[in-house]
Short mmCIF file of all heavy atoms in Angstrom, two decimals:
data_model
loop_
_atom_site.label_atom_id
_atom_site.label_comp_id
_atom_site.label_asym_id
_atom_site.label_seq_id
_atom_site.Cartn_x
_atom_site.Cartn_y
_atom_site.Cartn_z
N ARG K 152 9.86 74.58 8.37
CA ARG K 152 10.69 75.48 7.56
C ARG K 152 11.12 76.70 8.37
O ARG K 152 10.51 77.05 9.37
CB ARG K 152 9.91 75.92 6.32
CG ARG K 152 9.58 74.76 5.37
CD ARG K 152 8.68 75.22 4.25
NE ARG K 152 7.37 75.64 4.77
CZ ARG K 152 6.36 76.07 4.02
NH1 ARG K 152 6.51 76.12 2.72
NH2 ARG K 152 5.22 76.44 4.56
N HIS K 153 12.15 77.34 7.88
CA HIS K 153 12.59 78.59 8.52
C HIS K 153 11.48 79.62 8.42
O HIS K 153 10.83 79.74 7.39
CB HIS K 153 13.85 79.12 7.82
CG HIS K 153 14.33 80.42 8.38
ND1 HIS K 153 14.95 80.49 9.60
CD2 HIS K 153 14.24 81.67 7.92
CE1 HIS K 153 15.25 81.76 9.86
NE2 HIS K 153 14.83 82.49 8.85
N ARG K 154 11.26 80.32 9.51
CA ARG K 154 10.19 81.32 9.52
C ARG K 154 10.77 82.70 9.27
O ARG K 154 11.75 83.10 9.90
CB ARG K 154 9.47 81.29 10.87
CG ARG K 154 8.77 79.94 11.09
CD ARG K 154 8.14 79.85 12.45
NE ARG K 154 8.12 78.45 12.89
CZ ARG K 154 7.63 78.05 14.05
NH1 ARG K 154 7.11 78.91 14.89
NH2 ARG K 154 7.66 76.77 14.37
N ALA K 155 10.14 83.39 8.34
CA ALA K 155 10.62 84.73 7.98
C ALA K 155 10.69 85.62 9.22
O ALA K 155 9.80 85.60 10.07
CB ALA K 155 9.67 85.35 6.95
N GLY K 156 11.77 86.34 9.32
CA GLY K 156 11.93 87.28 10.43
C GLY K 156 12.58 86.68 11.66
O GLY K 156 12.90 87.40 12.60
N HIS K 157 12.76 85.35 11.67
CA HIS K 157 13.40 84.71 12.82
C HIS K 157 14.89 84.52 12.56
O HIS K 157 15.28 84.19 11.44
CB HIS K 157 12.76 83.36 13.12
CG HIS K 157 11.44 83.48 13.83
ND1 HIS K 157 10.50 82.48 13.81
CD2 HIS K 157 10.92 84.48 14.59
CE1 HIS K 157 9.44 82.85 14.51
NE2 HIS K 157 9.67 84.06 14.99
N ALA K 158 15.68 84.70 13.60
CA ALA K 158 17.11 84.44 13.49
C ALA K 158 17.35 82.95 13.28
O ALA K 158 16.49 82.12 13.59
CB ALA K 158 17.84 84.91 14.75
N ARG K 159 18.53 82.62 12.75
CA ARG K 159 18.82 81.21 12.46
C ARG K 159 18.97 80.37 13.72
O ARG K 159 18.96 79.14 13.66
CB ARG K 159 20.07 81.10 11.59
CG ARG K 159 19.83 81.62 10.16
CD ARG K 159 21.05 81.45 9.28
NE ARG K 159 21.42 80.06 9.11
CZ ARG K 159 20.87 79.23 8.22
NH1 ARG K 159 19.91 79.65 7.44
NH2 ARG K 159 21.28 77.99 8.11
N ASP K 160 19.13 81.03 14.88
CA ASP K 160 19.19 80.27 16.13
C ASP K 160 17.86 80.30 16.89
O ASP K 160 17.80 79.94 18.06
CB ASP K 160 20.33 80.78 17.02
CG ASP K 160 20.12 82.21 17.50
OD1 ASP K 160 19.19 82.88 17.01
OD2 ASP K 160 20.91 82.65 18.36
N PHE K 161 16.78 80.70 16.21
CA PHE K 161 15.47 80.70 16.84
C PHE K 161 15.06 79.26 17.19
O PHE K 161 15.11 78.37 16.34
CB PHE K 161 14.42 81.32 15.91
CG PHE K 161 13.02 81.24 16.44
CD1 PHE K 161 12.61 82.07 17.48
CD2 PHE K 161 12.12 80.32 15.91
CE1 PHE K 161 11.31 81.98 17.97
CE2 PHE K 161 10.81 80.24 16.40
CZ PHE K 161 10.42 81.06 17.43
N LEU K 162 14.66 79.05 18.44
CA LEU K 162 14.29 77.71 18.88
C LEU K 162 12.83 77.46 18.51
O LEU K 162 11.92 78.00 19.12
CB LEU K 162 14.52 77.57 20.39
CG LEU K 162 15.99 77.75 20.80
CD1 LEU K 162 16.12 77.76 22.32
CD2 LEU K 162 16.87 76.67 20.19
N ALA K 163 12.64 76.63 17.47
CA ALA K 163 11.32 76.48 16.86
C ALA K 163 10.49 75.38 17.50
O ALA K 163 9.27 75.43 17.52
CB ALA K 163 11.47 76.20 15.37
N HIS K 164 11.15 74.34 17.99
CA HIS K 164 10.43 73.22 18.61
C HIS K 164 11.45 72.41 19.42
O HIS K 164 12.65 72.69 19.37
CB HIS K 164 9.73 72.35 17.56
CG HIS K 164 10.62 71.69 16.56
ND1 HIS K 164 11.41 70.60 16.85
CD2 HIS K 164 10.87 71.97 15.25
CE1 HIS K 164 12.08 70.23 15.77
NE2 HIS K 164 11.78 71.05 14.79
N THR K 165 10.93 71.42 20.15
CA THR K 165 11.84 70.54 20.89
C THR K 165 12.03 69.25 20.11
O THR K 165 11.28 68.94 19.18
CB THR K 165 11.28 70.19 22.29
OG1 THR K 165 10.01 69.55 22.11
CG2 THR K 165 11.14 71.44 23.15
N VAL K 166 13.07 68.50 20.48
CA VAL K 166 13.20 67.11 20.03
C VAL K 166 13.34 66.24 21.27
O VAL K 166 14.02 66.61 22.23
CB VAL K 166 14.41 66.90 19.08
CG1 VAL K 166 14.25 67.73 17.82
CG2 VAL K 166 15.73 67.22 19.76
N GLY K 167 12.66 65.11 21.23
CA GLY K 167 12.74 64.16 22.34
C GLY K 167 13.79 63.11 22.04
O GLY K 167 13.77 62.49 20.97
N LEU K 168 14.72 62.92 22.98
CA LEU K 168 15.79 61.93 22.78
C LEU K 168 15.23 60.54 23.08
O LEU K 168 14.70 60.29 24.16
CB LEU K 168 16.98 62.23 23.70
CG LEU K 168 17.56 63.65 23.59
CD1 LEU K 168 18.87 63.74 24.38
CD2 LEU K 168 17.78 64.05 22.14
N LEU K 169 15.37 59.64 22.12
CA LEU K 169 14.67 58.36 22.18
C LEU K 169 15.54 57.22 22.66
O LEU K 169 15.05 56.13 22.90
CB LEU K 169 14.10 58.01 20.81
CG LEU K 169 13.08 59.01 20.27
CD1 LEU K 169 12.63 58.63 18.87
CD2 LEU K 169 11.87 59.06 21.20
N ARG K 170 16.84 57.44 22.76
CA ARG K 170 17.70 56.31 23.14
C ARG K 170 18.98 56.82 23.78
O ARG K 170 19.34 57.99 23.65
CB ARG K 170 18.02 55.43 21.93
CG ARG K 170 18.68 56.14 20.79
CD ARG K 170 18.59 55.31 19.49
NE ARG K 170 18.97 53.92 19.65
CZ ARG K 170 20.21 53.46 19.46
NH1 ARG K 170 21.17 54.26 19.10
NH2 ARG K 170 20.49 52.18 19.62
N THR K 171 19.63 55.92 24.49
CA THR K 171 20.95 56.20 25.02
C THR K 171 21.94 55.85 23.93
O THR K 171 22.14 54.67 23.63
CB THR K 171 21.21 55.35 26.29
OG1 THR K 171 20.21 55.68 27.25
CG2 THR K 171 22.59 55.64 26.85
N GLY K 172 22.51 56.86 23.29
CA GLY K 172 23.36 56.58 22.14
C GLY K 172 24.21 57.78 21.79
O GLY K 172 24.49 58.64 22.64
N LEU K 173 24.57 57.86 20.51
CA LEU K 173 25.51 58.89 20.07
C LEU K 173 24.96 60.30 20.29
O LEU K 173 25.68 61.20 20.73
CB LEU K 173 25.83 58.68 18.59
CG LEU K 173 26.46 57.34 18.22
CD1 LEU K 173 26.54 57.20 16.70
CD2 LEU K 173 27.85 57.21 18.85
N LEU K 174 23.68 60.51 19.98
CA LEU K 174 23.10 61.85 20.12
C LEU K 174 23.04 62.26 21.59
O LEU K 174 23.47 63.37 21.95
CB LEU K 174 21.71 61.90 19.48
CG LEU K 174 20.97 63.23 19.66
CD1 LEU K 174 21.73 64.36 18.97
CD2 LEU K 174 19.54 63.13 19.13
N ALA K 175 22.50 61.38 22.42
CA ALA K 175 22.38 61.70 23.85
C ALA K 175 23.76 61.96 24.45
O ALA K 175 23.95 62.90 25.24
CB ALA K 175 21.68 60.56 24.58
N GLN K 176 24.73 61.14 24.05
CA GLN K 176 26.10 61.34 24.55
C GLN K 176 26.64 62.69 24.10
O GLN K 176 27.26 63.42 24.87
CB GLN K 176 27.00 60.21 24.03
CG GLN K 176 28.44 60.35 24.47
CD GLN K 176 29.40 59.55 23.59
OE1 GLN K 176 28.99 58.68 22.83
NE2 GLN K 176 30.68 59.86 23.69
N SER K 177 26.40 63.03 22.84
CA SER K 177 26.93 64.28 22.30
C SER K 177 26.34 65.50 22.99
O SER K 177 27.02 66.52 23.17
CB SER K 177 26.65 64.36 20.80
OG SER K 177 27.30 63.32 20.10
N LEU K 178 25.07 65.41 23.35
CA LEU K 178 24.40 66.55 23.98
C LEU K 178 24.53 66.52 25.50
O LEU K 178 24.16 67.49 26.17
CB LEU K 178 22.92 66.57 23.59
CG LEU K 178 22.63 66.84 22.11
CD1 LEU K 178 21.14 66.70 21.82
CD2 LEU K 178 23.13 68.22 21.71
N GLY K 179 25.03 65.40 26.03
CA GLY K 179 25.14 65.29 27.48
C GLY K 179 23.79 65.27 28.18
O GLY K 179 23.65 65.75 29.30
N ARG K 180 22.79 64.72 27.49
CA ARG K 180 21.43 64.64 28.03
C ARG K 180 20.97 63.20 28.01
O ARG K 180 21.37 62.43 27.13
CB ARG K 180 20.47 65.50 27.19
CG ARG K 180 20.82 66.98 27.11
CD ARG K 180 20.74 67.70 28.45
NE ARG K 180 19.43 67.59 29.07
CZ ARG K 180 18.38 68.36 28.77
NH1 ARG K 180 18.48 69.30 27.86
NH2 ARG K 180 17.23 68.18 29.38
N PRO K 181 20.09 62.80 28.95
CA PRO K 181 19.64 61.41 29.01
C PRO K 181 18.51 61.12 28.03
O PRO K 181 17.84 62.04 27.53
CB PRO K 181 19.13 61.29 30.44
CG PRO K 181 18.64 62.66 30.77
CD PRO K 181 19.57 63.62 30.06
N ARG K 182 18.30 59.86 27.78
CA ARG K 182 17.12 59.42 27.02
C ARG K 182 15.88 59.98 27.69
O ARG K 182 15.78 59.99 28.92
CB ARG K 182 17.07 57.89 26.98
CG ARG K 182 15.93 57.34 26.18
CD ARG K 182 16.14 55.85 25.94
NE ARG K 182 16.04 55.08 27.19
CZ ARG K 182 14.91 54.53 27.65
NH1 ARG K 182 13.79 54.68 26.98
NH2 ARG K 182 14.90 53.85 28.77
N GLY K 183 14.96 60.48 26.88
CA GLY K 183 13.73 61.07 27.43
C GLY K 183 13.80 62.58 27.55
O GLY K 183 12.77 63.24 27.70
N ALA K 184 15.01 63.15 27.47
CA ALA K 184 15.15 64.62 27.57
C ALA K 184 14.49 65.29 26.36
O ALA K 184 14.47 64.74 25.26
CB ALA K 184 16.62 65.00 27.66
N GLU K 185 13.94 66.47 26.59
CA GLU K 185 13.39 67.30 25.52
C GLU K 185 14.37 68.46 25.28
O GLU K 185 14.62 69.25 26.20
CB GLU K 185 12.01 67.84 25.90
CG GLU K 185 10.93 66.77 25.99
CD GLU K 185 10.45 66.30 24.61
OE1 GLU K 185 10.52 67.10 23.66
OE2 GLU K 185 10.02 65.14 24.52
N VAL K 186 14.90 68.54 24.08
CA VAL K 186 15.94 69.53 23.78
C VAL K 186 15.41 70.54 22.77
O VAL K 186 14.96 70.16 21.68
CB VAL K 186 17.20 68.82 23.21
CG1 VAL K 186 18.27 69.82 22.85
CG2 VAL K 186 17.72 67.77 24.18
N PRO K 187 15.42 71.83 23.08
CA PRO K 187 14.96 72.84 22.11
C PRO K 187 15.95 72.98 20.95
O PRO K 187 17.18 73.00 21.17
CB PRO K 187 14.92 74.14 22.93
CG PRO K 187 15.11 73.73 24.36
CD PRO K 187 15.85 72.44 24.35
N VAL K 188 15.41 73.08 19.74
CA VAL K 188 16.27 73.20 18.55
C VAL K 188 15.68 74.23 17.57
O VAL K 188 14.49 74.57 17.65
CB VAL K 188 16.41 71.85 17.81
CG1 VAL K 188 17.07 70.81 18.70
CG2 VAL K 188 15.06 71.35 17.29
N ASN K 189 16.51 74.67 16.66
CA ASN K 189 16.05 75.47 15.53
C ASN K 189 15.53 74.53 14.44
O ASN K 189 15.69 73.30 14.54
CB ASN K 189 17.15 76.41 15.04
CG ASN K 189 18.47 75.72 14.81
OD1 ASN K 189 18.59 74.51 15.01
ND2 ASN K 189 19.48 76.46 14.41
N SER K 190 14.95 75.08 13.41
CA SER K 190 14.35 74.21 12.39
C SER K 190 14.28 74.97 11.08
O SER K 190 13.70 76.06 11.01
CB SER K 190 12.94 73.78 12.84
OG SER K 190 12.45 72.72 12.03
N SER K 191 14.89 74.40 10.04
CA SER K 191 14.95 75.06 8.74
C SER K 191 14.98 74.01 7.65
O SER K 191 15.90 73.95 6.85
CB SER K 191 16.20 75.95 8.69
OG SER K 191 16.26 76.64 7.48
N HIS K 192 13.94 73.16 7.65
CA HIS K 192 13.93 72.06 6.68
C HIS K 192 12.50 71.80 6.22
O HIS K 192 11.55 72.05 6.95
CB HIS K 192 14.53 70.78 7.29
CG HIS K 192 13.84 70.29 8.53
ND1 HIS K 192 13.06 69.16 8.54
CD2 HIS K 192 13.80 70.76 9.80
CE1 HIS K 192 12.59 68.96 9.76
NE2 HIS K 192 13.01 69.92 10.55
N HIS K 193 12.37 71.29 4.98
CA HIS K 193 11.05 70.89 4.51
C HIS K 193 11.02 69.41 4.19
O HIS K 193 9.99 68.88 3.80
CB HIS K 193 10.64 71.72 3.28
CG HIS K 193 11.22 71.23 1.99
ND1 HIS K 193 10.50 70.51 1.07
CD2 HIS K 193 12.49 71.30 1.50
CE1 HIS K 193 11.29 70.18 0.04
NE2 HIS K 193 12.49 70.65 0.27
N GLN K 194 12.19 68.74 4.38
CA GLN K 194 12.25 67.30 4.19
C GLN K 194 12.62 66.64 5.52
O GLN K 194 13.05 67.32 6.46
CB GLN K 194 13.30 66.92 3.14
CG GLN K 194 12.97 67.45 1.75
CD GLN K 194 13.81 66.79 0.67
OE1 GLN K 194 14.99 66.55 0.85
NE2 GLN K 194 13.18 66.49 -0.45
N ALA K 195 12.48 65.33 5.58
CA ALA K 195 12.88 64.59 6.77
C ALA K 195 13.04 63.12 6.40
O ALA K 195 12.58 62.69 5.33
CB ALA K 195 11.84 64.73 7.88
N VAL K 196 13.69 62.37 7.28
CA VAL K 196 13.83 60.93 7.07
C VAL K 196 12.45 60.29 7.11
O VAL K 196 11.62 60.59 7.98
CB VAL K 196 14.73 60.31 8.16
CG1 VAL K 196 14.71 58.78 8.09
CG2 VAL K 196 16.15 60.84 8.03
N ASP K 197 12.18 59.42 6.13
CA ASP K 197 10.96 58.61 6.14
C ASP K 197 11.32 57.24 6.71
O ASP K 197 10.99 56.93 7.85
CB ASP K 197 10.40 58.53 4.72
CG ASP K 197 9.14 57.68 4.62
OD1 ASP K 197 8.63 57.24 5.67
OD2 ASP K 197 8.65 57.45 3.49
N THR K 198 12.03 56.44 5.93
CA THR K 198 12.47 55.12 6.40
C THR K 198 13.94 55.19 6.79
O THR K 198 14.79 55.44 5.94
CB THR K 198 12.32 54.07 5.28
OG1 THR K 198 10.99 54.14 4.77
CG2 THR K 198 12.60 52.67 5.81
N PRO K 199 14.27 55.00 8.06
CA PRO K 199 15.69 55.02 8.45
C PRO K 199 16.43 53.88 7.76
O PRO K 199 15.84 52.83 7.47
CB PRO K 199 15.65 54.82 9.97
CG PRO K 199 14.26 55.16 10.39
CD PRO K 199 13.38 54.80 9.22
N PRO K 200 17.70 54.06 7.49
CA PRO K 200 18.45 53.01 6.80
C PRO K 200 18.68 51.79 7.70
O PRO K 200 18.64 51.91 8.92
CB PRO K 200 19.80 53.68 6.49
CG PRO K 200 19.74 55.06 7.03
CD PRO K 200 18.50 55.23 7.81
#
Side-chain angles (χ1 to χ4, degrees):
R152 295 173 296 182
H153 178 73
R154 296 176 209 180
H157 282 158
R159 291 183 62 83
D160 65 351
F161 175 74
L162 298 173
H164 61 75
T165 59
V166 298
L168 306 189
L169 298 177
R170 58 197 311 269
T171 301
L173 300 172
L174 176 63
Q176 179 200 345
S177 297
L178 294 175
R180 301 295 303 277
R182 182 167 67 91
E185 292 284 332
V186 178
V188 298
N189 49 0
S190 193
S191 183
H192 58 108
H193 82 103
Q194 296 195 319
V196 171
D197 179 6
T198 308

